[in-house]
Amino acid sequence: DGIEISPQVEPYNHYEMCWGRHTCHMGVVKILKALSSIPEEKRSNAVRNTIDAAVEFLLAHHIYKRSHAPDRIAKPSWQKFGFPLMYQTDVLEIMTIFADLRVRDPRLQDAIHLILSKQEAGGRWRIENANDRMLVSFGERGEESKWLTLMALRVLKSYDDASESMGLHIT
């Protein structure tokens, strides 16, 4: 946050929304995803501090909301689940990262409820955001997805196990 002059080189000069007063939310998620893949015992203090800062940044936004107005959605597209996402992200991907990091915080309640709200009667999740640029299809919009279902069930299992200590209600 706080960079007043954006870089004037490709490709950054086209993405002013990622420079200036606010940090690029997708950039934070992808950096967090990369750093969280480093085994805990191999993380430097700088990596641990960056992970902690990224987690707190996303928690301050209740994952996909406005930090100063948590009742307002800041990232509506993040509510549409897809796989694979490439540079984009969604609540399910973020919650997968948080589950892997064992992040436990009551501010995750809305994200967990969003995941639960998208479960179909048959227990699966549907693709809402499809990447049409893949050489191999992972499914079309509207189809049930085994990948999204696996991710959602892993997240819900992780938080179900910790729900009592976190004050979460997973139903």
Side-chain angles (χ1 to χ4, degrees):
D1 287 347
I3 296 174
E4 297 298 325
I5 301 170
S6 63
Q8 297 302 309
V9 296
E10 290 285 338
Y12 308 108
N13 56 337
H14 299 292
Y15 299 101
E16 292 178 25
M17 68 278 214
C18 289
W19 303 99
R21 294 181 340 148
H22 298 289
T23 297
C24 175
H25 287 70
M26 283 194 289
V28 169
V29 172
K30 297 308 180 172
I31 288 168
L32 182 60
K33 184 176 184 178
L35 294 178
S36 69
S37 69
I38 299 170
E40 283 186 58
E41 66 277 2
K42 294 189 177 192
R43 293 178 190 161
S44 68
N45 285 337
V47 168
R48 281 198 252 350
N49 291 339
T50 302
I51 288 172
D52 291 345
V55 165
E56 184 52 40
F57 176 83
L58 291 166
L59 285 173
H61 291 86
H62 294 245
I63 308 299
Y64 62 102
K65 297 185 175 188
R66 295 183 183 213
S67 60
H68 299 293
D71 58 323
R72 295 184 60 201
I73 306 298
K75 301 292 178 189
S77 63
W78 287 14
Q79 297 178 84
K80 295 181 179 184
F81 298 168
F83 181 86
L85 294 172
M86 306 308 200
Y87 72 92
Q88 297 174 346
T89 194
D90 62 30
V91 170
L92 185 55
E93 179 183 44
I94 297 166
M95 289 300 292
T96 300
I97 297 165
F98 274 39
D100 290 344
L101 287 170
R102 294 180 301 282
V103 173
R104 305 294 186 246
D105 192 285
R107 293 173 285 183
L108 298 175
Q109 184 71 55
D110 291 339
I112 290 169
H113 280 287
L114 177 66
I115 293 169
L116 284 166
S117 75
K118 293 181 175 286
Q119 186 176 26
E120 297 284 318
R124 295 185 175 231
W125 280 258
R126 292 190 183 274
I127 299 170
E128 299 170 291
N129 179 18
N131 186 336
D132 301 330
R133 297 183 191 139
M134 300 297 297
L135 294 175
V136 176
S137 174
F138 287 90
E140 302 291 325
R141 276 185 189 84
E143 290 181 353
E144 290 182 344
S145 169
K146 61 184 173 186
W147 300 107
L148 293 178
T149 299
L150 175 64
M151 291 170 64
L153 291 175
R154 282 186 60 230
V155 167
L156 293 174
K157 171 78 171 116
S158 172
Y159 285 102
D160 187 41
D161 292 346
S163 63
E164 202 170 304
S165 64
M166 288 175 55
L168 295 176
H169 306 287
I170 300 177
T171 55

